Amino acid sequence: MTLDGTEKLHGSLVEAAQKIRSAIWNQFGLPSCIGIGLNSFISKVVLDVYAKKTRHRGMYL
C-alpha cells in the first residue's frame, strides 16, 4: 500500500501503520506486521528479514 501524500489525513507513515494495525486487530482480532520502506520491495525485504530473526509483532523501518 502506498501512502504518498496522505500525511495530513493519516499522519506520519509510522502513525498510519499503527492505525492500520489497530484496525485489523479491532475488526478481526488478528495480529499483523507492517514493513515501511522507500518502496514496496524494500518494505517486504525488511519485514521478511526481521520476521525471521524475531517473534515480535510490529512495525519495521
Side-chain angles (χ1 to χ4, degrees), residues 7-39:
E7 289 84 15
K8 289 184 181 179
L9 182 61
H10 299 293
S12 71
L13 294 177
V14 173
E15 292 169 338
Q18 289 171 337
K19 289 178 185 179
I20 293 167
R21 288 186 69 230
S22 293
I24 292 169
W25 178 257
N26 291 335
Q27 281 190 306
F28 305 107
L30 297 172
S32 59
C33 294
I34 296 177
I36 299 173
L38 298 175
N39 57 50

